[in-house]
Amino acid sequence: SAVISQKPSRDICQRGTSLTIQCQVDSQVTMMFWYRQQPGQSLTLIATANQGSEATYESGFVIDKFPISRPNLTFSTLTVSNMSPEDSSIYLCSVELEVDRGNEQFFGPGTRLTVL
Amino acid sequence: AQKVTQAQTEISVVEKEDVTLDCVYETRDTTYYLFWYKQPPSGELVFLIRRNSFDEQNEISGRYSWNFQKSTSSFNFTITASQVVDSAVYFCALMEYGNKLVFGAGTILRVKS
């Protein structure tokens, strides 16, 4: 399995500011993913972050708003830029690892963001 | 296009009742994977099961069982003898080529004592 940590665990931010969320994994992984879970909603994939290449964004998400870094195989950051109250969500990173029963996606504990 | 439908928004049962959570998916791929995750009130996502499209065998793990039927594009999840600790949001998810998960809307399960 994988141990994934995220920092911060939660934050309250002012409109117009930016927040960078960190995701650390205890093993080297090729693929990392960032998801958003708006209040009472399901999870939506923001982007896929592979080490050594630009992140691939899903429809509705753009690099200017959610820049991502992937400097090595155990770490990634997601920045939520120029925040508005609509960005209030839980942001989760996940990684895919090969385990006995096949590939499995493990999720971090999430970062609860509230934008005032 | 891919889509995962969890038609049950919320289910309430009394402890020890059996409960089935429905999941219907759409995909054009012949190779895909289906998942169930549990999200308790604490918020973390807990992996429950992964099933590939070529394995239609039903699976049982303790009080949990899963029924995968390709003919109806369904991957239903049953909890036998439910307990209060089973109260959570349960998500069904589909993965196609590219390893991206598409989640259903989730089903809130409330188990009352």
Side-chain angles (χ1 to χ4, degrees), chain A:
Chain A
S1 65
V3 176
I4 306 172
S5 60
Q6 288 186 231
K7 289 181 181 180
S9 58
R10 59 178 66 230
D11 207 343
I12 300 174
C13 300
Q14 295 296 321
R15 179 195 300 261
T17 63
S18 298
L19 176 72
T20 295
I21 302 168
Q22 299 179 7
C23 179
Q24 180 76 52
V25 189
D26 68 345
S27 55
Q28 294 185 337
V29 296
T30 301
M31 302 183 77
M32 293 181 77
F33 306 87
W34 286 98
Y35 289 84
R36 181 177 73 181
Q37 186 177 23
Q38 294 176 301
Q41 303 295 314
S42 185
L43 286 80
T44 302
L45 180 65
I46 298 172
T48 302
N50 293 338
Q51 196 270 336
S53 63
E54 295 286 327
T56 302
Y57 290 82
E58 296 301 303
S59 175
F61 298 97
V62 295
I63 188 171
D64 289 346
K65 176 66 176 177
F66 297 102
I68 289 172
S69 77
R70 184 76 204 274
N72 57 53
L73 291 172
T74 63
F75 186 78
S76 178
T77 66
L78 169 76
T79 299
V80 186
S81 304
N82 188 25
M83 289 183 285
S84 66
E86 291 71 35
D87 294 319
S88 298
S89 297
I90 299 174
Y91 292 86
L92 301 101
C93 68
S94 77
V95 303
E96 183 167 290
L97 284 178
E98 187 171 338
V99 297
D100 290 344
R101 50 181 175 262
N103 288 354
E104 183 179 319
Q105 278 209 5
F106 296 89
F107 283 81
T111 296
R112 292 178 182 266
L113 171 62
T114 302
V115 184
L116 303 177

Side-chain angles (χ1 to χ4, degrees), chain B residues 14-69:
Chain B
V14 178
E15 219 172 7
K16 298 184 182 178
E17 286 185 8
D18 298 347
V19 58
T20 295
L21 309 181
D22 297 333
C23 175
V24 174
Y25 62 93
E26 296 177 30
T27 180
R28 295 179 181 177
D29 281 13
T30 55
T31 301
Y32 53 90
Y33 301 89
L34 296 163
F35 297 77
W36 276 96
Y37 286 89
K38 174 182 179 180
Q39 188 175 43
S42 54
E44 77 273 22
L45 270 177
V46 179
F47 168 88
L48 295 178
I49 191 171
R50 173 185 184 270
R51 172 69 71 218
N52 73 57
S53 53
F54 299 107
D55 182 3
E56 287 194 72
Q57 278 193 332
N58 292 330
E59 182 161 338
I60 298 174
S61 176
R63 295 185 297 108
Y64 296 169
S65 62
W66 290 269
N67 184 307
F68 177 29
Q69 293 196 352

Side-chain angles (χ1 to χ4, degrees), chain B residues 60-97:
Chain B
I60 298 174
S61 176
R63 295 185 297 108
Y64 296 169
S65 62
W66 290 269
N67 184 307
F68 177 29
Q69 293 196 352
K70 288 179 74 171
S71 60
T72 56
S73 297
S74 65
F75 187 43
N76 296 337
F77 172 34
T78 298
I79 301 174
T80 303
S82 59
Q83 300 176 3
V84 173
V85 294
D86 295 327
S87 297
V89 182
Y90 290 85
F91 291 100
C92 180
L94 168 70
M95 178 191 289
E96 295 177 332
Y97 177 80

